[in-house]
Amino acid sequence: MGITCMVNSTAYAPEELKNFYKNEPIDHSHDVCKPIVDESVAKEDGYVGYLMWSPSMQSALFGAIFYGGLVTMAFSGYLADRYGPKMLLVAAVIDCVVFTMIGPTLAERSYPAFFASRAMMGIGIGCVQPCINSMASKWFPSYEKSTAGALYTTGNQLASSFTSFFVAELCASSLGWPSFFYFFGGVGLLWSVFWIIFVTNSPQDNRWTGEQEKEFLEREVLSRKQKDMLVRQGLPIRHLLFNRTMQAIYFCQFAFSLCAVIMQSFLPTYFKDHLFLPIHLNGLYNIAPFFTQIVSKNIAAILSDYLKKRELVDSDTLVKFFQGCGSIGVSIILFLLAWLPSCENPAVALYLLSAYVAPQYSGTISSISTGYATVASLAGPNIIALIDYLDLPNKWLIVFGLCATIQFCAGCFFVCFGQAKIQSWAQPKDSIDLTTAQK
């Protein structure tokens, strides 16, 4: 959302539109579809940015964070498990805070410097998900995994929805676009204080946790010693990479991440350049898909855990149903989004996005699936940058159509080959009585 009001909205408008509105004698002041081709229209709609960044430069910025993430994604999970995720996550957030707060100064002085700062932010962001997963593995029993995953990833949707609305208001205010960099940097610092005070790496070390809860978690959550016993047989790399069930998981992870980065990064640009929405409606429309994700994924996760705990539905059937509905449902919505909305009826996009529900993000992410996710997150911005560079027509039709096709294929592949049960090659070679081990 921020970049839509940071950049000059008229500098790179299509020349044919500029010439049409400049030379055509008809009064276009009451047009429903009014492209942002001159400064008066841009100011009227709240887009008053002045940075001279081309569309391809803007798209490249969205990928910069993921280049930084490539540096830390391979070993951050190991560091979190070895030394504890608490302080590693604090360091990651402080990294994001620093490069966020110096963002306005760098953006005004040098595009390469701002690009580099986003890549440096990615180094911290690459640590976040592995740290959260490591923390969750110590604080939640396995039968609450779906609920826990839905809860601790809800922040993704909160950040993508309500902050877009908030940023739009700041952009339109007298404070201007630099203000939201400083505001969210301050939020990160405040979060760090609360995290340091209240959070510990394990329940046993937490003074805010009752003894009864500590005993429960110690009984229900697999300890490090037990994990070491289970993995002593070695890592089955060949199966992890090429097993069809694992490939189904990775394919869905890739499809999810590709759609997520495009929705989170480029939806405001779509509303601005395709539907010609003013800044205040742009922020409002952005809330729709992420709000419905918050509601739907938490309901689905709780329902999933309930059905698993009561053994009312076979686990394989359960995961295929939820993943299939998620992926294929998103595919249908994206196809409709590519064809139906226009500047004459932008509300259609709002209705469609309210039905957009991305498949649930995995509660436990291995380095392999994180790699697939990072490749997809890099691919999204680069695909759009390439489309902008080639000046291809029907840009959003291509983007949403491609995402829809990948989601549909991923959903079908998972329904065919996805499983919830532990694979035979992942079973411990030596029989281990975990009940005895706990004693």
Side-chain angles (χ1 to χ4, degrees):
M1 174 58 69
I3 205 167
T4 61
C5 59
M6 292 170 65
V7 300
N8 187 301
S9 300
T10 63
Y12 294 94
E15 288 298 325
E16 60 270 20
L17 276 179
K18 285 184 179 180
N19 294 333
F20 175 79
Y21 276 81
K22 180 179 179 181
N23 301 323
E24 182 67 29
I26 301 173
D27 180 13
H28 294 282
S29 59
H30 300 292
D31 285 0
V32 174
C33 298
K34 195 178 342 181
I36 303 172
V37 294
D38 59 53
E39 295 297 334
S40 62
V41 175
K43 187 174 182 180
E44 179 184 338
D45 286 347
Y47 301 106
V48 292
Y50 49 83
L51 300 177
M52 303 299 288
W53 294 345
S54 69
S56 58
M57 292 169 70
Q58 296 172 45
S59 298
L61 279 175
F62 293 121
I65 284 179
F66 302 106
Y67 288 113
L70 288 172
V71 176
T72 51
M73 73 170 188
F75 61 84
S76 56
Y78 170 78
L79 292 178
D81 288 337
R82 178 74 182 271
Y83 301 105
K86 176 181 176 178
M87 295 312 297
L88 181 60
L89 191 54
V90 170
V93 171
I94 294 300
D95 168 76
C96 294
V97 166
V98 170
F99 287 105
T100 294
M101 298 189 81
I102 65 174
T105 301
L106 297 179
E108 291 180 329
R109 296 188 178 184
S110 169
Y111 172 85
F114 186 70
F115 184 95
S117 74
R118 304 298 289 180
M120 294 299 294
M121 273 185 65
I123 292 177
I125 290 174
C127 298
V128 171
Q129 195 64 51
C131 286
I132 293 174
N133 293 335
S134 178
M135 183 71 74
S137 69
K138 299 176 177 65
W139 280 86
F140 294 95
S142 59
Y143 54 79
E144 292 180 354
K145 183 167 59 177
S146 297
T147 302
L151 285 173
Y152 70 70
T153 58
T154 294
N156 295 334
Q157 284 75 44
L158 288 173
S160 300
S161 57
F162 294 106
T163 54
S164 293
F165 179 76
F166 188 69
V167 167
E169 295 299 316
L170 283 176
C171 285
S173 72
S174 58
L175 296 173
W177 62 263
S179 60
F180 60 75
F181 281 86
Y182 304 132
F183 176 82
F184 289 115
V187 169
L189 287 176
L190 184 63
W191 173 90
S192 299
V193 173
F194 280 93
W195 180 264
I196 290 171
I197 293 173
F198 293 106
V199 174
T200 56
N201 288 318
S202 67
Q204 285 68 35
D205 301 327
N206 195 290
R207 59 175 176 157
W208 309 97
T209 304
E211 291 301 320
Q212 187 176 2
E213 185 177 359
K214 289 180 181 179
E215 292 174 4
F216 168 78
L217 290 172
E218 188 174 10
R219 182 174 65 252
E220 296 292 336
V221 178
L222 207 61
S223 69
R224 165 62 63 182
K225 183 177 179 180
Q226 290 170 301
K227 287 181 179 180
D228 290 342
M229 292 172 65
L230 289 173
V231 301
R232 195 176 296 163
Q233 63 197 53
L235 197 62
I237 292 294
R238 182 173 63 85
H239 293 294
L240 285 172
L241 289 175
F242 302 113
N243 177 264
R244 284 191 300 185
T245 298
M246 300 306 298
Q247 286 296 323
I249 295 171
Y250 301 149
F251 194 2
C252 287
Q253 180 69 75
F254 180 91
F256 166 79
S257 298
L258 180 67
C259 292
V261 75
I262 286 176
M263 284 292 180
Q264 291 174 0
S265 299
F266 295 97
L267 208 53
T269 304
Y270 166 74
F271 290 142
K272 172 189 169 187
D273 294 343
H274 185 68
L275 302 185
F276 309 137
L277 292 180
I279 188 72
H280 66 281
L281 286 181
N282 196 326
L284 185 63
Y285 273 47
N286 263 278
I287 293 177
F290 305 109
F291 178 76
T292 54
Q293 284 178 31
I294 292 172
V295 175
S296 61
K297 79 173 184 178
N298 281 282
I299 292 175
I302 294 170
L303 177 61
S304 174
D305 279 338
Y306 175 81
L307 293 173
K308 284 187 293 185
K309 192 173 183 180
R310 302 288 188 211
E311 298 183 350
L312 298 175
V313 180
D314 175 73
S315 58
D316 281 353
T317 303
L318 198 63
V319 296
K320 288 185 179 185
F321 173 78
F322 280 113
Q323 187 64 52
C325 288
S327 294
I328 296 173
V330 166
S331 174
I332 294 171
I333 295 300
L334 289 172
F335 271 122
L336 294 175
L337 194 62
W339 288 100
L340 296 184
S342 68
C343 56
E344 290 92 351
N345 56 353
V348 173
L350 183 61
Y351 303 143
L352 290 173
L353 288 169
S354 296
Y356 177 92
V357 182
Q360 182 183 313
Y361 198 73
S362 175
T364 304
I365 301 176
S366 68
S367 295
I368 299 174
S369 63
T370 303
Y372 276 78
T374 303
V375 170
S377 299
L378 283 168
N382 282 298
I383 288 170
I384 293 182
L386 179 63
I387 293 172
D388 287 329
Y389 177 77
L390 297 176
D391 197 22
L392 297 177
N394 302 314
K395 168 183 173 179
W396 297 107
L397 179 63
I398 297 172
V399 171
F400 291 138
L402 176 64
C403 288
T405 302
I406 292 174
Q407 280 283 10
F408 183 83
C409 293
C412 292
F413 193 78
F414 190 89
V415 169
C416 292
F417 302 111
Q419 294 181 354
K421 63 184 179 183
I422 298 177
Q423 302 293 291
S424 59
W425 49 266
Q427 297 281 1
K429 293 180 181 178
D430 300 322
S431 177
I432 299 174
D433 187 346
L434 294 181
T435 305
T436 304
Q438 285 176 343
K439 294 179 180 179

